[in-house]
Amino acid sequence: MYDAIEHILFDETEISNAVNRIACSVNNDYENEQLVVIGVLKGSFIFLADLIRKLDIDFTIDFIRASSYGENTESAGNVRIISDISENIENSNVLLVEDIIDTGYTLSYIVDYLRGFSPLSIRICTLFDKPCKRVIPIKPDYAGIVIDDRFIVGYGLDYNEKYRGIPYVGVPKFDPKK
Ligand code: IMP
Ligand code: MG
């Protein structure tokens, strides 16, 4: 057990099962289609790495990074793109891969931004979803695990850029709002 973790919420097996379920649906939905998988940095990189190794369809990979000013643990609503995609996604099917959707500010901003490039389709895939925290009504097409209002770290998810490398997902001992 890592020092900063109060208790484990989802172990490696539970996470892997969720990733497998999502991969299964994605494989079915994009059979015979070209896909651009876009990871939302930084949090999604571990989930994305595991997910794409379960895909048996044709795809390319790109990344985007957005940031919001304000509080540490919640989006403040004023999102901006700080690292852009490098592929041409015009007329492509896009699958956005996110670690967790909370208020929805980050992802709805990114979806609107990417629509400007005229992709054929955009779908959203998230490993964790906190629908009870939603401010912007955005619904993922693929959601691995739905959780209630709690702050989690590990498996790519950070607190102040730490704890991303923890192989499971846990609740920190500290209060993330302080
Ligand atoms: P949203 O814009 O409020 O939906 O926030 C999405 C982003 O906030 C995610 O991509 C995460 O980086 C971060 N985030 C939200 N909830 C958590 C959490 O419980 N742990 C770690 N990061 C979180
Ligand atoms: Mg984060």
Side-chain angles (χ1 to χ4, degrees):
M1 177 81 89
Y2 288 74
D3 267 2
I5 300 299
E6 163 77 35
H7 66 275
I8 299 175
L9 256 193
F10 304 105
D11 64 20
E12 285 98 322
T13 307
E14 289 170 289
I15 294 170
S16 162
N17 289 342
V19 175
N20 285 341
R21 283 196 300 271
I22 294 175
C24 226
S25 306
V26 172
N27 281 330
N28 279 327
D29 292 354
Y30 292 96
E31 216 182 333
N32 306 316
E33 305 214 38
Q34 287 290 326
L35 182 63
V36 184
V37 178
I38 301 183
V40 180
L41 292 174
K42 299 179 188 174
S44 74
F45 77 111
I46 292 178
F47 170 41
L48 179 120
D50 283 345
L51 178 70
I52 58 165
R53 285 177 288 173
K54 298 274 155 54
L55 298 183
D56 55 17
I57 50 172
D58 275 337
F59 62 88
T60 57
I61 296 171
D62 208 342
F63 293 97
I64 194 164
R65 186 165 173 215
S67 155
S68 63
Y69 302 100
E71 297 165 70
N72 267 336
T73 58
E74 282 180 5
S75 288
N78 34 13
V79 183
R80 66 195 168 118
I81 304 295
I82 54 174
S83 177
D84 208 343
I85 52 167
S86 56
E87 280 195 48
N88 179 4
I89 59 166
E90 190 177 347
N91 296 322
S92 296
N93 295 300
V94 168
L95 181 65
L96 262 178
V97 178
E98 175 66 296
D99 54 354
I100 186 164
I101 310 178
D102 190 272
T103 61
Y105 280 126
T106 309
L107 217 52
S108 69
Y109 183 90
I110 291 174
V111 168
D112 286 348
Y113 174 76
L114 293 179
R115 278 197 215 288
F117 295 104
S118 306
L120 198 59
S121 68
I122 301 185
R123 283 192 184 140
I124 295 166
C125 167
T126 189
L127 181 56
F128 295 100
D129 190 14
K130 289 188 204 170
C132 62
K133 292 284 301 294
R134 209 72 98 243
V135 178
I136 308 288
I138 189 163
K139 212 172 167 291
D141 300 278
Y142 312 93
I145 299 172
V146 174
I147 60 169
D148 52 18
D149 180 10
R150 57 190 354 180
F151 193 83
I152 55 176
V153 295
Y155 197 74
L157 291 134
D158 73 307
Y159 172 69
N160 280 350
E161 296 300 330
K162 292 199 285 191
Y163 316 121
R164 294 193 197 274
I166 297 174
Y168 50 80
V169 164
V171 177
K173 277 181 189 149
F174 53 85
D175 179 353
K177 297 211 162 118
K178 280 183 189 151

